[in-house]
């Protein structure tokens, strides 16, 4: 694709995206949060406009867009509705794994359906036994007389009961440890796949993150890549793509809090002293800090995306972008609450929703604390499991 073609594609996609956000994502956001509703209409429009296949090769019907466009798409979605953005991110994380097995006819067919907007995917990786270390599964697929049997309970599965396909991990049949793992692409209506609950989270209320109970006999064609190759796929595909996505969600939320705060400060007027809230030096300093934090985090993410495009990434830079994004959104949320006062603390206001949503990145695996530990081990030449 030439530079001219890429610029034209980028502009076309961003125009479509902005129209979707204005017509569907933003108007639906309050309802999704209030009713804990899955953002089905939003996702349908995203799929209808080809954005579920944003990074899928053109020969499979996808848009084959540059990676920075994925980052920008997530940030813009998150500024309007973080639940929709997270559903999209987990879909794209699953796509990154599927692309690793695109030489398989079974996987090619799935990718083509995604590109056509007819298949929403998600990742089903986390288990109670490994917690936020979702890349180290405890469950293990077994050879039986009836085929490959996988019996496990996955937790915190975004789009549980709503996705058309799950990308599921487990230890390989021959595995001696969790690093010898597999990924499988399994239809949501496959025998032995059941949703085990509902989502009642403080924030991101529409993402339908719920347990998934699995006791299924899997077909060999469902295997993505080679047997035992799961950890390699995690390092090379899932982890970088996931870090971009979750970082972009948090940056989008931070930018939304910043924007709402600026709008509120400009409008708030104290009649008894004939002064606008924006005239207070302390408010100016806090708003300035919010701006700096948002710009710093997005600049760091942009640099990481560019390194990925140039195939120059390293593990430290892969891990640290999410740490920065999560720290940024928490600090921006704290300032936003101070700046906007009771307005930000009132239920059913956009900024109150954003502040609740801002907490999620802290508990989503790998958590920032785990990432900082891994970074420290790498810097200090201490062995890690990455």
């Amino acid at each position: 694709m030439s530079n001219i073609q890429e610029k034209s594609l980028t502009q076309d996609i961003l125009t479509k995206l902005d129209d979707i956000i204005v017509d569907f994502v933003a108007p639906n956001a309050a309802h999704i949060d209030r009713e804990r509703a899955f953002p089905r209409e939003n996702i349908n429009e995203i799929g209808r406009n080809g954005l579920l296949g944003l990074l899928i090769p053109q020969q499979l019907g996808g848009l084959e867009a540059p990676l920075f466009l994925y980052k920008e798409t997530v940030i813009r979605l998150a500024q309007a509705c973080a639940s929709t953005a997270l559903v999209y991110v987990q879909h794209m994380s699953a796509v990154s794994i599927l692309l690793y097995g695109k030489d398989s006819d079974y996987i090619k067919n799935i990718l083509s359906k995604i590109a056509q907007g007819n298949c929403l995917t998600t990742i089903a990786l986390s288990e109670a036994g490994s917690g936020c270390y979702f890349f180290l599964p405890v469950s293990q697929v077994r050879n039986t007389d009836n085929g490959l049997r996988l019996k496990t309970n996955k937790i915190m599965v975004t789009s549980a009961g709503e996705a058309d396909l799950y990308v599921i991990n487990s230890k390989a049949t021959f595995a001696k440890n969790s690093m010898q793992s597999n990924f499988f692409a399994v239809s949501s209506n496959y025998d032995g796949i059941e949703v085990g609950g509902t989502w009642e989270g403080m924030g991101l209320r529409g993402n339908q993150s719920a347990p998934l109970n699995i006791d299924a006999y899997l077909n060999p064609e469902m295997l993505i890549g080679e047997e035992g190759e799961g950890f390699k796929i995690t390092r090379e595909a899932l982890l970088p793509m996931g870090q971009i996505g979750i970082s972009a969600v948090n940056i989008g939320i931070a930018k939304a809090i910043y924007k709402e705060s600026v709008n509120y400060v400009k409008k708030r007027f104290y009649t008894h002293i004939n002064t606008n809230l924006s005239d207070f030096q302390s408010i100016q300093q806090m708003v300035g800090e919010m701006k700096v934090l948002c710009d710093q985090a997005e600049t760091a993410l942009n640099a990481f995306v560019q390194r990925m495009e140039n195939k120059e990434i390293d593990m430290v830079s892969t891990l640290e972008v999410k740490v920065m994004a999560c720290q940024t959104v928490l600090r921006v949320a704290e300032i936003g609450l101070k700046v906007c006062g009771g307005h930000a603390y009132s239920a059913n206001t956009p900024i109150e929703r954003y502040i609740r949503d801002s907490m999620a990145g802290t508990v989503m695996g790998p958590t920032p604390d785990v990432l900082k530990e891994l970074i420290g081990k790498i810097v200090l030449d201490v062995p890690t499991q990455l």
Side-chain angles (χ1 to χ4, degrees):
M1 187 184 299
S2 69
N3 288 337
I4 294 176
Q5 289 173 319
E6 186 173 292
K7 287 181 180 178
S8 177
L9 174 66
T10 297
Q11 189 56 53
D12 181 55
I13 290 172
L14 290 179
T15 299
K16 288 181 179 179
L17 174 66
D18 287 342
D19 288 343
I20 293 169
I21 290 172
V22 170
D23 294 339
F24 297 95
V25 180
N28 289 337
H31 168 77
I32 288 168
D33 179 70
R34 184 174 58 253
E35 303 299 327
R36 301 181 183 273
F38 187 77
R40 175 56 61 187
E41 186 177 33
N42 299 348
I43 295 301
N44 286 346
E45 284 301 311
I46 288 169
R48 190 175 67 81
N49 284 275
L51 299 183
L52 291 181
L54 185 70
L55 302 179
I56 292 175
Q58 290 182 353
Q59 65 261 35
L60 294 175
L63 296 174
E64 200 172 336
L67 196 55
F68 84 88
L69 200 51
Y70 168 55
K71 179 272 303 181
E72 185 64 24
T73 296
V74 176
I75 288 178
R76 294 191 187 193
L77 287 173
Q79 286 181 266
C81 175
S83 291
T84 300
L86 181 61
V87 168
Y88 185 69
V89 163
Q90 301 301 64
H91 164 81
M92 294 296 287
S93 294
V95 168
S96 73
I97 300 169
L98 291 166
L99 286 171
Y100 217 93
K102 66 180 182 296
D103 293 335
S104 152
D105 289 339
Y106 175 74
I107 302 300
K108 280 182 182 177
N109 183 53
I110 292 171
L111 290 169
S112 294
K113 288 181 179 178
I114 293 170
Q116 294 164 13
N118 298 325
C119 181
L120 174 69
T121 67
T122 194
I123 50 176
L125 310 180
S126 298
E127 300 173 358
S130 51
C132 71
Y133 296 87
F134 62 79
F135 46 87
L136 297 173
V138 176
S139 60
Q140 186 166 14
V141 66
R142 309 280 184 182
N143 281 314
T144 73
D145 293 340
N146 295 317
L148 295 171
R149 185 184 184 188
L150 178 60
K151 185 175 183 180
T152 183
N153 297 316
K154 297 293 183 176
I155 59 174
M156 304 291 284
V157 179
T158 297
S159 304
E162 300 288 348
D164 301 296
L165 182 130
Y166 301 112
V167 171
I168 303 167
N169 66 344
S170 74
K171 290 192 291 186
T173 55
F174 59 81
K176 302 299 182 184
N177 57 62
S178 293
M179 296 176 72
Q180 298 171 315
S181 60
N182 292 333
F183 284 108
F184 296 95
V186 186
S187 172
S188 61
N189 60 11
Y190 194 75
D191 287 346
I193 308 289
E194 293 183 355
V195 177
T198 58
W199 174 238
E200 299 290 341
M202 177 176 71
L204 297 174
R205 289 177 171 177
N207 86 91
Q208 298 301 320
S209 181
L212 200 65
N213 301 327
I214 303 168
D215 188 358
Y217 291 91
L218 307 179
N219 296 325
E221 67 177 2
M222 295 175 178
L223 178 67
I224 302 171
E226 300 295 326
E227 174 89 6
E229 199 176 28
F231 193 75
K232 179 183 178 184
I233 297 173
T234 296
R235 282 180 60 103
E236 297 181 5
L238 173 61
L239 188 58
M241 184 64 69
Q243 294 291 91
I244 290 175
I246 298 301
S247 298
V249 170
N250 283 285
I251 290 169
I253 295 170
K255 292 178 74 170
I257 295 171
Y258 164 73
K259 181 180 178 180
E260 288 287 329
S261 299
V262 169
N263 290 340
Y264 177 79
V265 167
K266 286 181 177 180
K267 294 176 181 178
R268 183 71 169 93
F269 189 80
Y270 294 98
T271 56
H272 70 297
I273 53 175
N274 196 35
T275 301
N276 195 287
L277 183 58
S278 62
D279 294 327
F280 289 89
Q281 185 180 34
S282 60
I283 297 296
Q284 295 164 3
Q285 290 171 340
M286 285 190 282
V287 170
E289 183 181 352
M290 295 169 85
K291 171 66 171 168
V292 170
L293 289 167
C294 289
D295 288 351
Q296 283 179 337
E298 188 166 8
T299 298
L301 182 56
N302 289 341
F304 175 69
V305 169
Q306 187 59 59
R307 287 197 295 272
M308 273 197 70
E309 294 275 23
N310 297 338
K311 303 187 186 305
E312 297 172 348
I313 63 169
D314 59 86
M315 188 53 65
V316 169
S317 63
T318 301
L319 301 177
E320 66 187 3
V321 286
K322 183 188 171 186
V323 175
M324 286 186 280
C326 289
Q327 290 177 340
T328 292
V329 75
L330 287 177
R331 178 57 181 157
V332 169
E334 179 187 10
I335 298 172
L337 185 59
K338 290 179 180 178
V339 166
C340 296
H343 173 72
Y345 201 68
S346 300
N348 300 319
T349 60
I351 192 167
E352 184 264 349
R353 181 178 78 245
Y354 296 136
I355 290 172
R356 283 188 284 103
D357 291 343
S358 74
M359 308 295 174
T362 302
V363 298
M364 292 180 67
T367 63
D369 285 341
V370 167
L371 294 174
K372 286 186 281 188
E373 177 189 349
L374 291 171
I375 291 168
K377 286 181 176 179
I378 293 170
V379 170
L380 297 171
D381 298 320
V382 176
T384 72
Q385 289 183 304
L386 276 179

